Amino acid sequence: MSISQLRKRVYRTLKYKLARPSPPDLRTPFRGPVVVVGSAPQANLPAGLDRNFSIVTVNGSQAVTKNWGIERPDITFMQFNQIRGQNTNAVEVRRVLRGQSTKALYVFLWPEGEEALKAGLSAFHYQYESLTLVNKYERMALLDKVCGLRTAEMDASEKCSNGVNAVLFAFCHGASEVIITGINPRSTGHAYNNENLGRLHQTMDEMVFSKLLRDGWPLYTADPQVSSAIGIPLWMPA
């Protein structure tokens, strides 16, 4: 580790301790099971899904829930780069989200002001009832509060994916169970395109899943291949 990297790590660690950030807020806590939907190519409709479940989508995974007949997720997590980025994934996310809407939108690490964000969302006609900006330290607080783990987020190996952050958010705000689908750290590609793009954060995501299960959190998957590969129990409604 270089001196500049060490200084950056120390700075972030101290700032986190001094700021004592809280995780992103939710106005009305969850009162039942939460389905967190990612964009891995294999995703399954959870058994027994009905209006008692809350739906959280991540970036372009709203394309999956739309095929289930769900027009608007309860919550959408979106990474800042999806708003204006020109890489393949960002362009594809905007394509599948064009003209869509969500109830509550959380945008992570947006570097400009709220008005610039609204203009960026308006450019691809994405609508929302509420908009929340989430900074790095609030994201770090999610992992700390739910798992008791701290990270300085120096690189991809120390960061959770947005899908895992959505899982932590659900548990943080009262979910009775969390069922993931389309979230497979070991997969490549996305449900909404054929680019077969790689997936970051594999090591951190699997570590967090293991910690959640060891600590007794009610985490399940609707995807049999994820259950067998990673050890997350398969969702079977009572």
Side-chain angles (χ1 to χ4, degrees):
M1 181 185 299
S2 69
I3 298 230
S4 63
Q5 288 177 317
L6 180 59
R7 287 175 177 168
K8 189 174 183 180
R9 183 180 295 278
V10 170
Y11 171 80
R12 287 186 180 177
T13 301
L14 287 175
K15 184 172 180 178
Y16 180 85
K17 288 181 178 180
L18 293 172
R20 296 182 180 179
S22 297
D25 195 19
L26 180 65
R27 294 177 183 176
T28 303
F30 297 113
R31 300 186 182 278
V34 175
V35 179
V36 177
V37 185
S39 301
Q42 297 296 318
N44 297 281
L45 180 71
L49 182 69
D50 60 23
R51 294 182 180 179
N52 294 315
F53 290 65
S54 297
I55 305 294
V56 182
T57 58
V58 180
N59 294 322
S61 69
Q62 194 167 339
V64 176
T65 56
K66 187 176 181 181
N67 287 335
W68 296 348
I70 298 171
E71 289 299 322
R72 289 197 309 163
D74 295 288
I75 293 172
T76 296
F77 275 21
M78 195 178 297
Q79 191 70 7
F80 77 96
N81 190 56
Q82 313 297 0
I83 312 299
R84 292 178 178 166
Q86 295 303 309
N87 63 306
T88 300
N89 190 59
V91 171
E92 287 294 294
V93 166
R94 292 196 297 275
R95 178 182 66 81
V96 300
L97 293 183
R98 178 171 292 275
Q100 304 302 312
S101 65
T102 187
K103 294 178 184 176
L105 176 61
Y106 289 74
V107 178
F108 285 73
L109 310 186
W110 178 252
E112 303 176 46
E114 186 171 323
E115 290 307 310
L117 174 57
K118 290 179 178 178
L121 293 164
S122 179
F124 58 102
H125 308 290
Y126 194 72
Q127 300 179 40
Y128 44 86
E129 293 180 10
S130 66
L131 177 62
T132 302
L133 280 67
V134 181
N135 66 38
K136 182 186 302 292
Y137 297 95
E138 291 168 328
R139 184 170 68 181
M140 290 162 60
L142 267 177
L143 182 62
D144 189 2
K145 182 171 182 178
V146 178
C147 288
L149 299 174
R150 291 189 179 182
T151 174
E153 295 195 353
M154 295 294 292
D155 54 36
S157 69
E158 295 187 19
K159 298 176 185 177
C160 301
S161 67
N162 270 352
V164 171
N165 281 314
V167 170
L168 297 172
F169 180 86
F171 281 136
C172 182
H173 292 294
S176 58
E177 298 95 7
V178 174
I179 304 100
I180 62 171
T181 185
I183 296 179
N184 183 354
R186 298 184 185 181
S187 71
T188 59
H190 295 79
Y192 48 81
N193 64 51
N194 296 314
E195 300 296 329
N196 199 37
L197 298 173
R199 185 162 279 106
L200 302 175
H201 319 300
Q202 174 184 340
T203 301
M204 190 68 170
D205 283 1
E206 291 197 33
M207 184 183 78
V208 172
F209 284 149
S210 295
K211 183 70 163 59
L212 289 170
L213 294 172
R214 287 198 308 272
D215 290 349
W217 290 96
L219 174 66
Y220 302 89
T221 178
D223 304 334
Q225 71 276 17
V226 174
S227 180
S228 60
I230 301 177
I232 300 173
L234 193 62
W235 169 248
M236 300 290 288

